[in-house]
Amino acid sequence: MMTNKEYQEYVGSLSDKSPIWKDMFNAFWIGGLICVLGQLIQNGYKALDLDKDMAATATSVTLVFISAVLTGLSVYDDIAKHAGAGTLVPITGFANSVVAPAIEFKAEGFVTGMAAKMFSIAGPVIVYGTVASVIYGLVLVIFNLA
């Protein structure tokens, strides 16, 4: 019988070492590239005479659409294999976290599969984000900062 320490050493000897510097570099430049793409899209909308707020909204919608399509085509997953956390840029990562489970469970049916599992990853983010927003709002109201 192995002790926990012996088991950890055994597992460590069998597992590949993570190329941390390469992973961080890839996350940085691919995540940055996604952000540059978002900025280019926003500049394009501004060039079409949309005001700043409308251009930002249109950019978000466009990035969600692109991310959803790339997830559906399994391209986003291929990018994520190289970029790691770089693909977690908030809006594109969120879209991927909604679309991927929907695609995975669509064979189980529209309601019990796709619709029920669509927010299995993104749901907690929505819930805790909403709760945090309410708490933040209450703090602002209580201390007359709003």
Side-chain angles (χ1 to χ4, degrees):
M1 179 99 167
M2 285 187 185
T3 66
N4 283 343
K5 184 179 179 184
E6 290 171 336
Y7 179 74
Q8 292 299 329
E9 289 173 3
Y10 174 69
V11 169
S13 70
L14 295 178
S15 60
D16 294 334
K17 302 298 178 212
S18 175
I20 187 115
W21 293 105
K22 181 181 138 239
D23 290 348
M24 287 192 312
F25 177 74
N26 285 339
F28 176 78
W29 79 264
I30 295 175
L33 194 62
I34 292 170
C35 292
V36 167
L37 174 66
Q39 187 63 54
L40 290 172
I41 291 169
Q42 186 172 16
N43 291 350
Y45 284 128
K46 285 181 181 178
L48 295 173
D49 290 330
L50 279 129
D51 67 21
K52 183 179 178 182
D53 290 338
M54 287 301 292
T57 301
T59 300
S60 296
V61 170
T62 302
L63 287 172
V64 166
F65 177 76
I66 291 170
S67 178
V69 169
L70 292 178
T71 299
L73 297 173
S74 295
V75 173
Y76 200 90
D77 294 337
D78 294 337
I79 296 169
K81 286 177 188 173
H82 299 289
T87 56
L88 295 178
V89 174
I91 195 85
T92 57
F94 183 78
N96 176 262
S97 72
V98 172
V99 174
I103 292 170
E104 182 179 346
F105 293 103
K106 89 176 169 181
E108 293 180 21
F110 184 75
V111 174
T112 59
M114 186 181 76
K117 303 290 185 175
M118 185 181 295
F119 293 102
S120 62
I121 296 172
V125 174
I126 295 169
V127 169
Y128 290 114
T130 303
V131 169
S133 297
V134 169
I135 291 170
Y136 181 71
L138 288 173
V139 168
L140 289 177
V141 168
I142 290 169
F143 293 105
N144 286 329
L145 300 172

